[in-house]
Amino acid sequence: MRRRARLAPIALALLTGAATSGAEVPAAYAPAAPPPSAAARPSSALAENDFDRLLAKLDAEEKALRAELDSIGPALELTRRRMVARGRAYYRHVRAGFLPVGGGFDALVDHAARVERTRLALERDLAREAELTRRSAELADRLTHLGAERAPLEVHREAMNRARVALAQEEERRAAFARAFETSVRPDYLAIYGADTGPAELDRRAGFRSLLGRLPFPIAGRAEVRKVSRRGAGGPGVELTALDGAPVRSVAAGRVAFADTYADYGLTVIVDHGERHYSVYANLGAADARAGDQLPGGARVGTVASGPDGAKLYFELRRGAEVIDPGPWFGM
């Protein structure tokens, strides 16, 4: 009777939908301690393959945790349904009391055994429900922490990827800039249209060399001109001060060999005038020519960019990759 009185409230609670979840879980079900956070390591000391390994490890752990979490839902639902069914059966057994006594002692013993078996099964269900509920909360919490660990790693890896792409692009520009001075052909059309003086015909036999001393300036009108040396150029160029946005024109006919941003030169256009003679227009605000374009002399290649010291165009002449003094070509 004392046992029946102790279990009756449990059965009543089950019938009203109030499941008890405070049962103690066996130690075998206790979750393992989470591994040390990968984000705790200094990200600056991690190589790219370290990030890949850490993210792969986090992905594998997350996949396993989500698979376990997905399996808990159906198991918990099944356990609760079984609890309700056993709770109702236990309640019926308890209400029956000593009714089977009319069937004799054996019937009474069988009835008491059924009541005890139902009670033990119900207690196991209660413990199982508590275990599953607690494990579900632990998995959700660990998944939240995994997300927090992954975020800085993904941000850092993305930054590394962007830096690698930027470096590769810069290397490609550097290579393209160098390649621009490696090959040169004699253009079929060698007329020049001076920015100030109108068209002038080149000596087809001398080619670009016939412009020595009478090369037109790449900016129309008056401009302040001074000789400067650009870092890495290895020779002198000229800097022309003009109005912001002033058009920049090709000093002679040729093919555009390079049109892109390059190191200290900024936005740059290189025109191949044939027989390994090149003109370089740097620090442009905009480029109106693309690599491969065939330009007549005087064609617009871009505009002058404005800077802290005003609008200035940097101009070079090269023979091959060697920078040559443009002064004598301009008659300076």
Side-chain angles (χ1 to χ4, degrees):
M1 290 298 292
R2 286 196 303 269
R3 182 176 299 169
R4 182 178 64 182
R6 185 173 69 250
L7 292 174
I10 298 177
L12 290 174
L14 288 169
L15 291 174
T16 57
T20 305
S21 60
E24 192 173 316
V25 182
Y29 294 102
S37 170
R41 299 175 61 187
S43 59
S44 60
L46 297 176
E48 184 176 357
N49 56 347
D50 292 325
F51 281 101
D52 291 337
R53 284 196 296 270
L54 286 171
L55 286 171
K57 183 178 180 180
L58 292 177
D59 288 341
E61 183 180 358
E62 180 181 9
K63 183 178 180 180
L65 291 176
R66 290 195 180 280
E68 184 180 356
L69 187 61
D70 291 342
S71 68
I72 284 180
L76 189 59
E77 178 66 20
L78 178 62
T79 299
R80 286 172 175 168
R81 288 181 180 179
R82 192 167 57 233
M83 284 170 54
V84 171
R86 284 175 174 166
R88 289 173 177 170
Y90 180 75
Y91 182 69
R92 288 195 301 269
H93 291 329
V94 169
R95 289 192 61 185
F98 288 99
L99 291 178
V101 72
F105 181 77
D106 290 341
L108 182 60
V109 170
D110 289 342
H111 175 70
R114 283 194 300 272
V115 171
E116 183 64 11
R117 284 196 301 270
T118 304
R119 181 188 70 81
L120 293 175
L122 187 55
E123 287 184 351
R124 287 194 298 271
D125 288 340
L126 289 170
R128 178 61 174 164
E129 186 210 21
E131 169 199 336
L132 291 173
T133 301
R134 186 174 67 181
R135 182 58 179 161
S136 178
E138 289 172 348
L139 291 173
D141 184 63
R142 180 57 186 156
L143 286 170
T144 300
H145 281 81
L146 280 178
E149 291 176 11
R150 176 187 283 105
L153 293 175
E154 290 181 339
V155 168
H156 199 103
R157 186 174 68 170
E158 181 62 25
M160 291 177 64
N161 289 338
R162 288 196 299 269
R164 185 176 65 251
V165 170
L167 181 61
Q169 290 174 342
E170 185 59 29
E171 289 294 333
E172 175 57 28
R173 290 191 189 99
R174 186 176 293 108
F177 189 86
R179 287 195 303 269
F181 303 110
E182 291 176 357
T183 58
S184 180
V185 296
R186 185 185 184 95
D188 295 330
Y189 181 67
L190 294 174
I192 176 169
Y193 298 87
D196 292 319
T197 60
E201 199 69 34
L202 293 180
D203 184 333
R204 294 187 62 85
R205 289 171 301 177
F208 187 80
R209 289 172 293 176
S210 67
L211 291 176
L212 181 62
R214 61 189 187 95
L215 189 72
F217 284 102
I219 297 177
R222 294 176 60 85
E224 295 181 10
V225 182
R226 69 186 183 95
K227 290 186 178 181
V228 295
S229 291
R230 184 61 59 97
R231 186 176 69 178
V238 294
E239 189 175 74
L240 299 95
T241 302
L243 296 176
D244 182 19
V248 178
R249 303 185 183 279
S250 176
V251 295
R255 176 184 59 85
V256 177
F258 180 87
D260 204 341
T261 302
Y262 176 70
D264 294 333
Y265 282 66
L267 183 58
T268 303
V269 171
I270 301 174
V271 180
D272 174 7
H273 301 292
E275 296 182 330
R276 303 184 72 244
H277 285 91
Y278 303 86
S279 57
V280 180
Y281 311 81
N283 193 38
L284 296 173
D288 297 324
R290 296 179 298 179
D293 288 352
Q294 293 288 343
L295 303 179
R300 179 165 166 159
V301 298
T303 57
V304 180
S306 180
D309 300 326
K312 299 179 186 297
L313 171 72
Y314 177 73
F315 177 85
E316 281 180 1
L317 284 179
R318 295 200 182 199
R319 184 182 295 111
E322 177 189 1
V323 179
I324 58 179
D325 186 356
W329 291 79
F330 289 131
M332 295 170 55

